[in-house]
Coordinates of all heavy atoms in Angstrom, one line a residue:
M219 N -5.8 -36.0 17.1 CA -6.9 -35.8 16.1 C -6.4 -35.6 14.8 O -5.5 -34.7 14.6 CB -7.9 -34.7 16.6 CG -9.0 -34.5 15.7 SD -10.3 -33.4 16.2 CE -9.5 -31.9 16.4
K220 N -6.9 -36.3 13.8 CA -6.5 -36.1 12.4 C -7.7 -35.6 11.6 O -8.8 -36.0 11.8 CB -6.0 -37.5 11.8 CG -5.5 -37.4 10.5 CD -5.0 -38.8 10.0 CE -4.4 -38.6 8.6 NZ -3.8 -39.9 8.2
V221 N -7.4 -34.5 10.8 CA -8.4 -34.0 9.9 C -8.0 -34.2 8.5 O -6.9 -34.0 8.1 CB -8.5 -32.4 10.2 CG1 -9.5 -31.8 9.3 CG2 -8.9 -32.2 11.7
T222 N -9.0 -34.6 7.7 CA -8.7 -34.7 6.3 C -9.5 -33.7 5.5 O -10.6 -33.3 5.9 CB -9.2 -36.1 5.8 OG1 -10.5 -36.3 6.1 CG2 -8.3 -37.2 6.5
L223 N -8.8 -33.2 4.5 CA -9.4 -32.1 3.6 C -9.3 -32.6 2.2 O -8.4 -33.3 1.8 CB -8.8 -30.8 3.7 CG -8.9 -30.1 5.0 CD1 -8.0 -28.9 5.0 CD2 -10.3 -29.6 5.3
D224 N -10.3 -32.3 1.4 CA -10.2 -32.6 -0.1 C -9.1 -31.8 -0.7 O -8.8 -30.7 -0.3 CB -11.5 -32.2 -0.7 CG -12.7 -33.1 -0.4 OD1 -12.4 -34.3 0.0 OD2 -13.8 -32.7 -0.6
K225 N -8.4 -32.4 -1.7 CA -7.3 -31.7 -2.3 C -7.8 -30.4 -2.9 O -7.1 -29.4 -2.8 CB -6.8 -32.6 -3.4 CG -5.7 -32.0 -4.2 CD -5.2 -32.8 -5.4 CE -4.3 -32.1 -6.2 NZ -4.0 -32.8 -7.5
E226 N -9.0 -30.3 -3.4 CA -9.6 -29.2 -4.0 C -9.7 -28.0 -3.0 O -9.4 -26.9 -3.4 CB -11.0 -29.5 -4.6 CG -11.2 -29.0 -6.0 CD -12.6 -29.5 -6.4 OE1 -13.6 -28.8 -6.1 OE2 -12.7 -30.5 -7.1
I227 N -10.1 -28.3 -1.8 CA -10.2 -27.3 -0.8 C -8.8 -26.8 -0.4 O -8.6 -25.6 -0.3 CB -10.9 -27.8 0.5 CG1 -12.4 -28.2 0.2 CG2 -10.8 -26.9 1.7 CD1 -13.1 -28.9 1.3
I228 N -7.9 -27.7 -0.3 CA -6.4 -27.2 0.0 C -6.0 -26.3 -1.1 O -5.3 -25.2 -0.9 CB -5.5 -28.5 0.3 CG1 -6.0 -29.2 1.4 CG2 -4.1 -28.0 0.3 CD1 -5.3 -30.6 1.6
E229 N -6.1 -26.7 -2.4 CA -5.7 -25.9 -3.5 C -6.3 -24.6 -3.5 O -5.6 -23.5 -3.7 CB -6.0 -26.6 -4.8 CG -5.1 -27.8 -5.1 CD -5.5 -28.5 -6.4 OE1 -6.6 -28.4 -6.9 OE2 -4.6 -29.2 -7.0
D230 N -7.6 -24.5 -3.2 CA -8.4 -23.2 -3.2 C -7.8 -22.3 -2.1 O -7.6 -21.1 -2.4 CB -9.9 -23.4 -3.0 CG -10.5 -23.9 -4.3 OD1 -9.9 -24.0 -5.4 OD2 -11.7 -24.4 -4.1
L231 N -7.6 -22.8 -0.9 CA -7.1 -22.1 0.2 C -5.7 -21.5 -0.1 O -5.4 -20.4 0.2 CB -7.2 -22.9 1.5 CG -8.6 -23.2 2.0 CD1 -8.5 -24.2 3.2 CD2 -9.4 -21.9 2.5
V232 N -4.9 -22.5 -0.5 CA -3.5 -22.0 -0.8 C -3.4 -21.0 -1.9 O -2.7 -20.0 -1.8 CB -2.6 -23.3 -1.0 CG1 -1.2 -22.9 -1.4 CG2 -2.5 -24.1 0.3
T233 N -4.1 -21.2 -2.9 CA -4.1 -20.3 -4.1 C -4.7 -19.0 -3.7 O -4.2 -17.9 -4.1 CB -5.0 -21.0 -5.2 OG1 -4.4 -22.2 -5.6 CG2 -5.0 -20.0 -6.4
Y234 N -5.7 -19.0 -2.8 CA -6.2 -17.7 -2.4 C -5.2 -17.0 -1.6 O -5.0 -15.7 -1.7 CB -7.4 -17.9 -1.5 CG -8.0 -16.8 -0.8 CD1 -8.8 -15.9 -1.5 CD2 -7.8 -16.4 0.5 CE1 -9.4 -14.8 -1.0 CE2 -8.3 -15.3 1.1 CZ -9.1 -14.5 0.4 OH -9.7 -13.3 0.9
K235 N -4.5 -17.6 -0.6 CA -3.5 -17.0 0.2 C -2.3 -16.6 -0.7 O -1.8 -15.4 -0.5 CB -3.0 -18.0 1.2 CG -1.9 -17.5 2.1 CD -2.4 -16.5 3.1 CE -1.3 -16.2 4.1 NZ -1.6 -15.2 5.0
L236 N -1.9 -17.3 -1.7 CA -0.9 -16.9 -2.7 C -1.2 -15.6 -3.4 O -0.4 -14.8 -3.6 CB -0.6 -18.0 -3.6 CG 0.4 -19.1 -3.2 CD1 0.5 -20.2 -4.1 CD2 1.9 -18.4 -3.1
R237 N -2.5 -15.5 -3.9 CA -2.9 -14.4 -4.6 C -2.8 -13.1 -3.7 O -2.4 -12.1 -4.1 CB -4.4 -14.6 -5.1 CG -4.8 -13.6 -6.1 CD -6.2 -14.0 -6.7 NE -7.2 -14.7 -5.9 CZ -7.4 -16.0 -6.1 NH1 -6.9 -16.7 -7.1 NH2 -8.4 -16.6 -5.3
N238 N -3.2 -13.3 -2.5 CA -3.2 -12.1 -1.5 C -1.7 -11.7 -1.3 O -1.4 -10.5 -1.2 CB -3.8 -12.4 -0.2 CG -5.3 -12.4 -0.3 OD1 -5.9 -11.7 -1.1 ND2 -6.0 -13.2 0.5
I239 N -0.9 -12.7 -1.1 CA 0.6 -12.4 -0.9 C 1.2 -11.7 -2.1 O 1.9 -10.7 -2.0 CB 1.3 -13.7 -0.6 CG1 1.0 -14.2 0.8 CG2 2.9 -13.5 -0.8 CD1 1.6 -15.5 1.1
K240 N 0.8 -12.2 -3.3 CA 1.3 -11.5 -4.6 C 0.8 -10.1 -4.7 O 1.6 -9.2 -5.0 CB 1.0 -12.3 -5.8 CG 1.7 -13.6 -5.9 CD 1.2 -14.4 -7.1 CE 1.8 -15.8 -7.1 NZ 3.0 -16.0 -7.7
N241 N -0.5 -9.8 -4.2 CA -1.0 -8.4 -4.2 C -0.2 -7.6 -3.2 O 0.2 -6.4 -3.6 CB -2.4 -8.4 -3.9 CG -3.3 -8.9 -5.0 OD1 -2.9 -8.8 -6.2 ND2 -4.4 -9.4 -4.7
L242 N 0.1 -8.1 -2.1 CA 0.8 -7.3 -1.1 C 2.3 -7.1 -1.6 O 2.8 -5.9 -1.4 CB 1.0 -8.1 0.2 CG -0.4 -8.2 1.0 CD1 -0.2 -9.1 2.2 CD2 -0.8 -6.9 1.5
I243 N 2.9 -8.0 -2.3 CA 4.2 -7.8 -2.8 C 4.2 -6.7 -3.9 O 5.0 -5.8 -4.0 CB 4.8 -9.1 -3.4 CG1 5.2 -10.1 -2.3 CG2 6.0 -8.8 -4.3 CD1 5.5 -11.5 -2.7
S244 N 3.2 -6.8 -4.8 CA 3.0 -5.8 -5.8 C 2.8 -4.3 -5.2 O 3.4 -3.4 -5.7 CB 1.8 -6.1 -6.7 OG 2.1 -7.2 -7.5
N245 N 2.0 -4.3 -4.2 CA 1.8 -3.0 -3.5 C 3.1 -2.4 -3.0 O 3.3 -1.2 -3.1 CB 0.8 -3.2 -2.4 CG -0.6 -3.5 -2.8 OD1 -0.9 -3.2 -4.0 ND2 -1.4 -3.9 -2.0
I246 N 3.9 -3.2 -2.4 CA 5.2 -2.7 -1.9 C 6.1 -2.2 -3.1 O 6.7 -1.1 -3.0 CB 6.0 -3.8 -1.0 CG1 5.3 -4.0 0.2 CG2 7.4 -3.4 -0.8 CD1 5.7 -5.3 1.0
L247 N 6.2 -3.0 -4.1 CA 6.9 -2.6 -5.3 C 6.4 -1.4 -6.0 O 7.2 -0.5 -6.3 CB 7.1 -3.8 -6.3 CG 7.8 -5.1 -5.8 CD1 7.8 -6.1 -6.8 CD2 9.2 -4.7 -5.4
E248 N 5.1 -1.2 -6.0 CA 4.6 -0.1 -6.7 C 4.8 1.2 -5.9 O 5.1 2.3 -6.3 CB 3.0 -0.2 -6.8 CG 2.6 -1.1 -7.9 CD 1.1 -1.4 -8.0 OE1 0.3 -0.5 -7.5 OE2 0.7 -2.4 -8.5
K249 N 4.8 1.0 -4.5 CA 5.1 2.1 -3.6 C 6.4 2.7 -3.9 O 6.7 3.9 -3.8 CB 5.0 1.6 -2.2 CG 5.3 2.7 -1.1 CD 5.2 2.1 0.3 CE 5.6 3.1 1.3 NZ 5.5 2.4 2.7
W250 N 7.4 1.9 -4.2 CA 8.8 2.3 -4.4 C 9.1 2.3 -5.9 O 10.3 2.5 -6.2 CB 9.7 1.3 -3.7 CG 9.5 1.5 -2.2 CD1 8.7 0.6 -1.4 CD2 10.0 2.4 -1.3 NE1 8.8 1.0 -0.1 CE2 9.6 2.2 0.0 CE3 10.9 3.6 -1.5 CZ2 9.9 2.9 1.1 CZ3 11.2 4.3 -0.3 CH2 10.7 4.0 0.9
N251 N 8.1 2.3 -6.8 CA 8.4 2.3 -8.2 C 9.4 1.3 -8.7 O 10.2 1.6 -9.5 CB 8.8 3.8 -8.7 CG 7.7 4.7 -8.5 OD1 6.5 4.4 -8.7 ND2 8.0 5.9 -7.9
E252 N 9.2 0.0 -8.2 CA 10.2 -1.0 -8.6 C 9.4 -2.1 -9.3 O 8.2 -2.2 -9.1 CB 10.8 -1.6 -7.4 CG 11.9 -0.7 -6.8 CD 13.2 -0.7 -7.6 OE1 13.4 -1.6 -8.5 OE2 14.0 0.2 -7.4
I253 N 10.0 -2.9 -10.1 CA 9.4 -4.0 -10.7 C 10.0 -5.4 -10.3 O 9.5 -6.4 -10.5 CB 9.4 -3.9 -12.3 CG1 10.8 -3.8 -12.8 CG2 8.6 -2.7 -12.8 CD1 10.9 -3.9 -14.3
S254 N 11.1 -5.3 -9.5 CA 11.8 -6.5 -9.1 C 12.0 -6.4 -7.7 O 12.5 -5.5 -7.1 CB 13.2 -6.5 -9.8 OG 14.1 -7.4 -9.2
T255 N 11.7 -7.6 -7.0 CA 11.9 -7.7 -5.6 C 13.4 -7.6 -5.3 O 13.8 -6.9 -4.2 CB 11.3 -9.0 -5.0 OG1 11.9 -10.1 -5.7 CG2 9.8 -9.0 -5.1
D256 N 14.2 -8.3 -6.1 CA 15.7 -8.2 -5.8 C 16.2 -6.8 -5.8 O 17.1 -6.4 -5.0 CB 16.4 -9.1 -6.8 CG 16.2 -10.6 -6.6 OD1 15.9 -11.0 -5.5 OD2 16.3 -11.3 -7.6
S257 N 15.9 -6.1 -6.8 CA 16.3 -4.7 -7.0 C 15.8 -3.8 -5.8 O 16.6 -3.1 -5.2 CB 15.7 -4.1 -8.2 OG 16.0 -2.7 -8.4
F258 N 14.6 -4.0 -5.4 CA 14.2 -3.2 -4.2 C 14.9 -3.6 -2.9 O 15.3 -2.7 -2.2 CB 12.6 -3.5 -4.0 CG 12.2 -2.9 -2.6 CD1 12.0 -1.6 -2.5 CD2 11.9 -3.7 -1.6 CE1 11.6 -1.0 -1.2 CE2 11.6 -3.3 -0.4 CZ 11.4 -1.9 -0.2
L259 N 15.1 -4.9 -2.8 CA 15.7 -5.3 -1.5 C 17.2 -4.8 -1.5 O 17.7 -4.4 -0.5 CB 15.7 -6.8 -1.3 CG 14.3 -7.4 -1.0 CD1 14.4 -8.9 -1.1 CD2 13.9 -6.9 0.3
K260 N 17.9 -4.8 -2.6 CA 19.3 -4.3 -2.7 C 19.3 -2.8 -2.4 O 20.1 -2.3 -1.6 CB 19.9 -4.6 -4.1 CG 20.3 -5.9 -4.3 CD 20.8 -6.2 -5.7 CE 21.0 -7.7 -6.0 NZ 21.4 -7.9 -7.4
K261 N 18.3 -2.0 -3.0 CA 18.3 -0.6 -2.8 C 17.9 -0.3 -1.4 O 18.4 0.7 -0.8 CB 17.3 0.0 -3.7 CG 17.9 0.1 -5.2 CD 16.8 0.6 -6.1 CE 17.4 0.6 -7.6 NZ 16.5 1.0 -8.6
A262 N 17.1 -1.1 -0.7 CA 16.6 -0.9 0.6 C 17.9 -1.1 1.5 O 18.1 -0.4 2.5 CB 15.5 -1.8 1.0
Q263 N 18.7 -2.1 1.2 CA 19.8 -2.6 2.0 C 20.9 -1.5 1.9 O 21.6 -1.2 2.9 CB 20.3 -3.9 1.6 CG 21.4 -4.5 2.5 CD 21.8 -5.9 2.2 OE1 21.6 -6.3 1.0 NE2 22.4 -6.6 3.1
N264 N 21.2 -1.0 0.7 CA 22.3 -0.1 0.5 C 22.0 1.3 0.9 O 22.9 2.2 0.7 CB 22.9 -0.3 -0.9 CG 22.1 0.2 -2.0 OD1 21.3 1.1 -1.7 ND2 22.4 -0.2 -3.2
G265 N 20.7 1.6 1.2 CA 20.4 2.9 1.6 C 19.9 3.9 0.5 O 19.6 5.0 0.7
T266 N 19.7 3.3 -0.7 CA 19.2 4.1 -1.8 C 17.8 4.6 -1.4 O 17.4 5.8 -1.6 CB 19.1 3.3 -3.1 OG1 20.4 2.9 -3.4 CG2 18.5 4.1 -4.3
Y267 N 17.0 3.7 -0.8 CA 15.6 4.0 -0.3 C 15.7 4.3 1.1 O 15.8 3.3 1.9 CB 14.6 3.0 -0.6 CG 14.4 2.8 -2.1 CD1 14.3 1.5 -2.7 CD2 14.3 3.9 -2.9 CE1 14.0 1.3 -4.1 CE2 14.0 3.7 -4.3 CZ 13.8 2.4 -4.8 OH 13.5 2.3 -6.2
E268 N 15.6 5.5 1.6 CA 15.5 5.8 3.0 C 14.1 5.4 3.5 O 13.1 5.5 2.7 CB 15.8 7.2 3.3 CG 17.2 7.7 3.0 CD 17.5 9.2 3.3 OE1 16.6 9.8 4.0 OE2 18.4 9.7 2.7
E269 N 14.0 4.9 4.7 CA 12.7 4.6 5.2 C 12.1 3.4 4.7 O 10.8 3.2 4.7 CB 11.7 5.8 5.2 CG 12.2 7.1 5.8 CD 12.5 7.1 7.3 OE1 11.7 6.4 8.0 OE2 13.5 7.7 7.7
A270 N 12.9 2.5 4.1 CA 12.4 1.3 3.4 C 12.6 0.1 4.2 O 12.1 -1.0 3.8 CB 13.0 1.2 2.0
E271 N 13.1 0.2 5.4 CA 13.5 -1.0 6.1 C 12.2 -1.8 6.5 O 12.2 -3.0 6.4 CB 14.1 -0.6 7.5 CG 14.5 -1.8 8.3 CD 15.3 -1.3 9.6 OE1 15.7 -0.2 9.7 OE2 15.5 -2.2 10.4
N272 N 11.1 -1.2 6.9 CA 9.9 -2.0 7.3 C 9.3 -2.7 6.0 O 9.0 -3.9 6.2 CB 8.9 -1.1 7.9 CG 9.2 -0.6 9.3 OD1 10.1 -1.3 9.9 ND2 8.6 0.4 9.8
D273 N 9.3 -2.0 4.9 CA 8.8 -2.7 3.7 C 9.8 -3.8 3.3 O 9.3 -4.8 2.8 CB 8.6 -1.7 2.6 CG 7.4 -0.7 2.8 OD1 6.5 -1.2 3.5 OD2 7.4 0.3 2.2
A274 N 11.0 -3.7 3.4 CA 11.9 -4.7 3.1 C 11.7 -5.9 4.0 O 11.8 -7.0 3.5 CB 13.4 -4.1 3.2
V275 N 11.6 -5.7 5.2 CA 11.3 -6.8 6.2 C 10.0 -7.5 5.8 O 10.0 -8.8 5.7 CB 11.3 -6.3 7.7 CG1 10.9 -7.4 8.6 CG2 12.6 -5.9 8.0
D276 N 8.9 -6.7 5.5 CA 7.6 -7.3 5.1 C 7.8 -8.1 3.9 O 7.3 -9.2 3.7 CB 6.6 -6.2 5.0 CG 6.2 -5.6 6.2 OD1 6.5 -6.1 7.4 OD2 5.6 -4.4 6.2
L277 N 8.5 -7.5 2.9 CA 8.7 -8.2 1.6 C 9.5 -9.5 1.8 O 9.0 -10.5 1.1 CB 9.5 -7.3 0.6 CG 9.7 -7.8 -0.8 CD1 8.4 -8.1 -1.5 CD2 10.5 -6.9 -1.6
K278 N 10.5 -9.6 2.6 CA 11.2 -10.8 2.7 C 10.3 -11.8 3.4 O 10.4 -13.0 3.0 CB 12.4 -10.6 3.7 CG 13.6 -9.9 3.0 CD 14.7 -9.6 4.0 CE 15.8 -8.9 3.4 NZ 17.0 -8.7 4.3
Q279 N 9.5 -11.5 4.4 CA 8.6 -12.4 5.0 C 7.5 -12.9 3.9 O 7.2 -14.2 3.9 CB 7.8 -11.7 6.1 CG 6.9 -12.6 6.9 CD 7.7 -13.8 7.6 OE1 8.8 -13.6 8.1 NE2 7.1 -15.0 7.6
L280 N 7.0 -12.0 3.2 CA 6.0 -12.4 2.1 C 6.7 -13.3 1.1 O 6.0 -14.3 0.7 CB 5.5 -11.1 1.4 CG 4.6 -10.3 2.2 CD1 4.4 -8.9 1.5 CD2 3.2 -10.9 2.5
L281 N 7.9 -13.1 0.8 CA 8.6 -14.0 -0.2 C 8.8 -15.4 0.4 O 8.7 -16.4 -0.3 CB 9.9 -13.4 -0.7 CG 9.8 -12.1 -1.5 CD1 11.2 -11.5 -1.7 CD2 9.2 -12.4 -2.9
M282 N 9.1 -15.4 1.6 CA 9.2 -16.7 2.4 C 7.9 -17.5 2.4 O 7.8 -18.7 2.1 CB 9.8 -16.6 3.7 CG 11.3 -16.2 3.7 SD 12.1 -16.3 5.4 CE 11.1 -15.2 6.4
E283 N 6.9 -16.7 2.6 CA 5.5 -17.4 2.7 C 5.1 -17.9 1.3 O 4.5 -18.9 1.2 CB 4.4 -16.4 3.2 CG 4.5 -16.2 4.7 CD 3.4 -15.3 5.1 OE1 2.1 -15.7 4.8 OE2 3.5 -14.3 5.7
E284 N 5.4 -17.1 0.3 CA 5.1 -17.4 -1.0 C 5.8 -18.7 -1.4 O 5.1 -19.6 -2.0 CB 5.4 -16.3 -2.0 CG 5.2 -16.5 -3.4 CD 5.6 -15.5 -4.4 OE1 6.7 -14.8 -4.2 OE2 5.0 -15.1 -5.3
K285 N 7.0 -18.8 -1.1 CA 7.9 -20.0 -1.4 C 7.2 -21.2 -0.7 O 7.1 -22.3 -1.3 CB 9.3 -19.7 -1.1 CG 10.2 -20.9 -1.4 CD 11.6 -20.6 -1.0 CE 12.5 -21.8 -1.3 NZ 13.9 -21.6 -0.9
K286 N 6.9 -21.1 0.6 CA 6.4 -22.2 1.3 C 5.0 -22.6 0.7 O 4.8 -23.8 0.6 CB 6.2 -21.8 2.8 CG 5.7 -22.9 3.7 CD 5.7 -22.4 5.1 CE 4.4 -21.9 5.5 NZ 4.1 -21.5 6.9
L287 N 4.2 -21.8 0.4 CA 2.9 -22.1 -0.1 C 3.0 -22.7 -1.5 O 2.3 -23.6 -1.9 CB 1.9 -20.9 -0.1 CG 1.5 -20.3 1.2 CD1 0.8 -19.0 1.1 CD2 0.6 -21.4 2.0
T288 N 3.9 -22.2 -2.3 CA 4.1 -22.8 -3.6 C 4.6 -24.3 -3.5 O 4.2 -25.1 -4.2 CB 5.1 -21.9 -4.4 OG1 4.6 -20.6 -4.6 CG2 5.5 -22.5 -5.8
Q289 N 5.5 -24.4 -2.6 CA 6.0 -25.8 -2.3 C 4.8 -26.7 -1.9 O 4.8 -27.9 -2.3 CB 7.1 -25.8 -1.3 CG 8.4 -25.3 -1.8 CD 9.4 -25.0 -0.6 OE1 9.1 -25.1 0.5 NE2 10.7 -24.9 -1.1
I290 N 3.9 -26.2 -1.0 CA 2.8 -27.0 -0.6 C 1.9 -27.4 -1.8 O 1.5 -28.5 -1.9 CB 1.9 -26.3 0.4 CG1 2.7 -26.2 1.7 CG2 0.6 -26.9 0.6 CD1 2.0 -25.3 2.8
L291 N 1.6 -26.4 -2.7 CA 0.8 -26.7 -3.9 C 1.6 -27.7 -4.8 O 0.8 -28.6 -5.3 CB 0.7 -25.4 -4.7 CG -0.6 -24.6 -4.5 CD1 -0.6 -23.4 -5.4 CD2 -1.9 -25.4 -4.5
E292 N 2.9 -27.6 -4.9 CA 3.6 -28.5 -5.7 C 3.7 -29.9 -5.2 O 3.8 -30.9 -5.9 CB 5.0 -28.0 -6.0 CG 5.0 -26.8 -6.9 CD 6.3 -26.1 -7.0 OE1 7.3 -26.5 -6.3 OE2 6.5 -25.2 -7.9
S293 N 3.5 -30.0 -3.9 CA 3.6 -31.3 -3.2 C 2.3 -32.1 -3.2 O 2.3 -33.3 -2.7 CB 4.2 -31.2 -1.8 OG 3.2 -30.6 -0.9
L294 N 1.2 -31.5 -3.5 CA 0.0 -32.1 -3.5 C 0.0 -33.2 -4.5 O 0.4 -33.1 -5.7 CB -1.2 -31.1 -3.8 CG -1.4 -30.1 -2.7 CD1 -2.5 -29.1 -3.2 CD2 -1.9 -30.8 -1.4
P295 N -0.6 -34.4 -4.2 CA -0.5 -35.6 -5.1 C -1.4 -35.3 -6.3 O -2.4 -34.5 -6.3 CB -1.2 -36.7 -4.3 CG -1.8 -36.0 -3.1 CD -1.2 -34.7 -2.9
E296 N -1.0 -35.8 -7.4 CA -1.8 -35.6 -8.7 C -3.1 -36.5 -8.6 O -3.1 -37.5 -7.8 CB -0.9 -36.1 -9.9 CG 0.2 -35.4 -10.1 CD 0.1 -34.0 -10.7 OE1 -1.0 -33.9 -11.5 OE2 0.8 -33.0 -10.4
D297 N -4.1 -36.1 -9.3 CA -5.3 -37.0 -9.3 C -5.1 -38.3 -10.1 O -4.5 -38.4 -10.9 CB -6.5 -36.2 -9.9 CG -6.9 -35.0 -9.0 OD1 -6.7 -35.1 -7.7 OD2 -7.5 -34.0 -9.5

């Protein structure tokens, strides 16, 4: 079965999901008083932040989702 969606609907759904992911990323960074994902992940990895392992795993997953959704948006055909 094939389903077709308007480009506008796809853009809206992906943009909505991206906005939520960015908010979750911001929440993690704020929790640890960081402004950079790279800095947070380095500090979580080297032990600077104890108890940061779960947030680091979540952040990595969110970053992968963000990248995938951004690629989907960029791959949509122009009007």
Side-chain angles (χ1 to χ4, degrees):
M219 176 169 63
K220 186 175 182 177
V221 177
T222 57
L223 292 172
D224 289 337
K225 179 184 172 192
E226 231 177 80
I227 293 172
I228 295 170
E229 285 177 340
D230 287 346
L231 292 171
V232 172
T233 302
Y234 176 80
K235 180 73 173 176
L236 272 170
R237 191 170 32 251
N238 286 329
I239 287 171
K240 288 175 190 273
N241 285 335
L242 292 170
I243 290 170
S244 291
N245 290 341
I246 291 171
L247 294 177
E248 285 176 24
K249 176 180 176 181
W250 296 97
N251 295 317
E252 285 289 340
I253 57 171
S254 162
T255 56
D256 290 334
S257 175
F258 169 73
L259 290 172
K260 285 178 188 173
K261 289 177 182 177
Q263 185 177 24
N264 71 21
T266 301
Y267 292 140
E268 295 179 17
E269 307 295 323
E271 183 177 346
N272 289 338
D273 284 338
V275 170
D276 290 345
L277 181 60
K278 285 180 184 180
Q279 184 64 37
L280 289 166
L281 291 171
M282 286 190 306
E283 282 186 58
E284 180 184 39
K285 182 178 179 181
K286 184 175 93 175
L287 291 171
T288 300
Q289 289 172 341
I290 289 171
L291 266 183
E292 290 172 352
S293 71
L294 292 175
E296 298 286 328
D297 287 336

